Amino acid sequence: MEVPSLKLLSASPLRLFPDVLVGTQADASDVLLGANLLEVQAVVNCALDDWIFKMRPWPSEQAAVERWQALETSLRALPLSSGQAFAGEVFGCRYCALPARDRDRAEAIIIDGEVAVKGLEAYNMGVHFPVACDFIQEQLDAGRRVLIHCLRGENRAGAVAAAFLVAKGWTPEEAVQEVREVRGPYALSNRAFV
């Protein structure tokens, strides 16, 4: 039995921006390590620190291991640009990597008057919006198709896609609704991002 909330949706284009796709780590893996069936020429990775470690190839596939190692080396060599992003070229794709976290606010757990588990502040995804939106627009202006991805293509990638739409004149409510229409009802479920 498949659990609907765990199913990954393939990359989906924003309806008025068909060259802006919102997708998952699997879509990004296909772009950089596979056949690039999406014909993407630019990537916004909203999960830099999480993504590379989730896609290791089987050790028995030597060619895949070597390509993955080369990808990891290329990602780690990306220079830091403005706005807390790493940008450059990776395997022939223009690449913008954001070390973002999918973290909502969590209250501390107190037992018998003592803090048993520290609370967490919500991650401020907004620090990445200006550089990500500028990168997306630059790529579109250059005629490149862009993939915005995180692990599942729901929260971090969804927040960047919504920010791009707001930068294009949409209201925040319209942008959130669009992302949920193309990525499913669980998109932007992190309350800190909407």
Side-chain angles (χ1 to χ4, degrees):
M1 178 174 125
E2 187 172 315
V3 179
S5 66
L6 297 179
K7 181 180 180 186
L8 291 178
L9 299 175
S10 297
S12 313
L14 297 175
R15 289 180 295 181
L16 294 181
F17 298 92
D19 285 330
V20 178
L21 301 129
V22 184
T24 69
Q25 64 183 354
D27 298 314
S29 294
D30 179 65
V31 168
L32 296 171
L33 297 171
N36 193 6
L37 298 175
L38 298 171
E39 299 178 346
V40 166
Q41 297 91 23
V43 173
V44 178
N45 176 350
C46 302
L48 175 63
D49 295 331
D50 298 333
W51 176 71
I52 192 70
F53 302 107
K54 304 276 185 195
M55 53 168 274
R56 293 180 187 258
W58 290 103
S60 62
E61 300 171 8
Q62 187 58 35
V65 169
E66 289 171 6
R67 185 130 169 100
W68 178 84
Q69 289 170 336
L71 174 61
E72 183 178 24
T73 299
S74 295
L75 291 174
R76 295 202 187 283
L78 287 172
L80 182 64
S81 67
S82 62
Q84 297 185 8
F86 297 86
E89 189 160 316
V90 174
F91 287 16
C93 279
R94 297 295 305 149
Y95 204 84
C96 176
L98 312 174
R101 297 277 182 241
D102 188 358
R103 184 176 71 219
D104 203 345
R105 179 176 171 74
E107 297 295 326
I109 298 173
I110 300 175
I111 300 173
D112 296 328
E114 293 185 27
V115 176
V117 178
K118 266 179 69 173
L120 294 172
E121 290 299 315
Y123 185 81
N124 180 8
M125 190 68 193
V127 301
H128 301 295
F129 292 162
V131 70
C133 291
D134 288 348
F135 177 86
I136 294 166
Q137 190 59 57
E138 288 169 13
Q139 302 315 307
L140 293 174
D141 291 347
R144 295 183 186 105
R145 190 165 215 211
V146 180
L147 171 66
I148 308 167
H149 84 89
C150 56
L151 299 183
R152 295 182 53 81
E154 294 175 350
N155 284 311
R156 290 172 280 188
V160 168
F164 173 74
L165 293 173
V166 169
K168 301 306 273 176
W170 295 41
T171 67
E173 294 80 14
E174 291 169 334
V176 168
Q177 182 60 34
E178 170 69 3
V179 170
R180 287 183 175 152
E181 295 238 352
V182 300
R183 293 305 301 160
Y186 300 104
L188 295 172
S189 59
N190 183 330
R191 296 166 300 174
F193 292 0
V194 292

